[in-house]
Amino acid sequence: MSMNQVFPMVYNSKEQIDAIILLEQQCKQLDSAHLKADLDHISKKDGDHALLCYRDGDLAGLLSWYASDGVTGNINAIVHPQYRRQGVFTSLLKQAILDMKTQGINQLSYRVPQGLSPGVHTAQSLGAIYDRAEYSMQLVNEVLSVVEPHEVTLSVAEAEDMEFMVTCSSQAFEDSEDWTREYFMQTNEPSRVTYIVWQNQLPVGLVRVNSINARTAFIHNFCILPAYQGQKLGRTALSILVNLLRKQSYTDIRLSVVTENKRALNLYRSVGFEVNSEHHYFNGSL
C-alpha cells in the first residue's frame, strides 16, 4: 500500500513549483471547481506556510496556511481527485496542526471554492461550521477619474497612526480594539503597506496593500469611519489608490469582499473590479 509522504515546501524550489502548477492544471481538468494553490503567496520568501503530500513520487496534495491574528490558522488545500479519500488531506492537516500549535494557534478557518462539495463535506466532518462567503475580485476596467469629494488624500501610515488605525478598523468592522491591535502587530511586514485616508487634513479611513510580487497587489482592510460613510469618500480613496498602484507598475490588482456586503460590492464594481471567483469559509478548532 502506498504511503503519504508530507514535506514542507521550499519557497524557491523550481521542481516543487512546477509540480504545484501541474497539480492545479490536473484539478482544473478533472474538477468543475477551479482549485488554486495561491502560488503567489507560498512561493515568496516569508510567505504562507505550505506542506506537500507525495504518493509514489507524484504530488497528490498541498495545504497552505497563514495566521493573520496569531490565533486562527487560515487553511487552503488541494487534493488531486485521483487521490481523494486516501488520507492525503488528513496527513497534511495533522502536520499543519503540529506546526500551528507551536505558534499558539487554536482556531482554524477552511477555505472552500464555491461548488466543491467534497471540500464542504470534509470541513463539516472535521466539525467546522459555515461562517461566510466571499467574492474574489480583480481590476479589469479602466478607473474613471473622480473629482469629488475634494480634499481626499492618501499617505503611508506612520507609527503614530496606530491608535487611529485600531479605532477606525474596530469601529468599521465591529471587532474589539484588543483583537484589532494584535492583528495589526501580527501583519506588520515589509510587503504590506497601510495608507491613511484623509479629508481636509483629518484622518477618516485606511486601506492596506499586500504586495504579493512585482506585478500583483492585494487590497484589504479598506474602511472608512462610520461617521464619514455615505459621502463617496471610499470611492474617491479607492480610485486614488488604484491609480497609485498602476503607477507603481502593478498589473494584477485584487481584493475580496463578503458576498452579503452589497454596498462594498457596488463600490468596488464602480471603480472597475469584477468578481472572478467565490469561496466559502468554515470555522473550526484544532
Side-chain angles (χ1 to χ4, degrees), residues 2 4 12 15 23 35 40 49 59 117 122 133 135 138 151 157 159 171 178 191 204 212 228 249 265 276 278:
S2 299
N4 296 326
N12 59 356
E15 181 182 351
L23 176 63
L35 296 172
D40 290 338
H49 306 269
L59 181 60
S117 53
T122 298
Y135 290 129
Q138 189 169 22
E151 304 302 329
Q171 287 186 13
D178 287 345
S191 65
V204 295
I212 310 301
Y228 290 89
S249 301
L265 187 61
N276 59 17
E278 179 181 342

Side-chain angles (χ1 to χ4, degrees), residues 87-107:
V88 172
F89 178 73
T90 301
S91 298
L92 288 163
L93 185 61
K94 281 182 178 176
Q95 184 57 53
I97 286 174
L98 289 175
D99 296 342
M100 290 182 206
K101 280 183 175 176
T102 64
Q103 298 193 25
I105 293 167
N106 55 39
Q107 298 293 318

Side-chain angles (χ1 to χ4, degrees), residues 14-122:
K14 184 179 185 305
E15 181 182 351
Q16 290 183 347
I17 290 171
D18 288 345
I20 292 167
I21 292 171
L22 178 60
L23 176 63
E24 280 186 328
Q25 292 171 345
Q26 291 168 333
C27 288
K28 190 174 182 180
Q29 290 166 358
L30 298 167
D31 260 328
S32 57
H34 185 28
L35 296 172
K36 293 190 69 176
D38 284 347
L39 198 54
D40 290 338
H41 292 271
I42 61 179
S43 61
K44 72 172 187 175
K45 189 175 183 181
D46 300 323
D48 295 353
H49 306 269
L51 297 166
L52 307 179
C53 181
Y54 289 86
R55 291 283 293 268
D56 300 324
D58 293 328
L59 181 60
L62 171 148
L63 183 151
S64 65
W65 65 273
Y66 69 92
S68 57
D69 60 1
V71 176
T72 303
N74 299 279
I75 291 175
N76 180 50
I78 297 181
V79 176
H80 192 292
Q82 178 184 330
Y83 295 110
R84 289 179 189 161
R85 299 182 181 276
Q86 297 179 41
V88 172
F89 178 73
T90 301
S91 298
L92 288 163
L93 185 61
K94 281 182 178 176
Q95 184 57 53
I97 286 174
L98 289 175
D99 296 342
M100 290 182 206
K101 280 183 175 176
T102 64
Q103 298 193 25
I105 293 167
N106 55 39
Q107 298 293 318
L108 299 175
S109 175
Y110 301 94
R111 188 181 80 173
V112 180
Q114 190 262 342
L116 188 72
S117 53
V120 173
H121 294 151
T122 298

Side-chain angles (χ1 to χ4, degrees), residues 140-185:
V140 295
N141 299 317
E142 194 66 36
V143 184
L144 300 173
S145 59
V146 178
V147 294
E148 59 180 0
H150 297 295
E151 304 302 329
V152 174
T153 57
L154 300 183
S155 69
V156 176
E158 306 288 346
E160 57 266 27
D161 294 316
M162 174 61 90
E163 288 311 305
F164 169 75
M165 289 163 54
V166 170
T167 299
C168 181
S169 185
S170 62
Q171 287 186 13
F173 296 118
E174 299 182 344
D175 295 316
S176 74
E177 290 198 354
D178 287 345
W179 183 92
T180 303
R181 187 175 288 103
E182 179 67 20
Y183 164 75
F184 281 129
M185 290 169 62

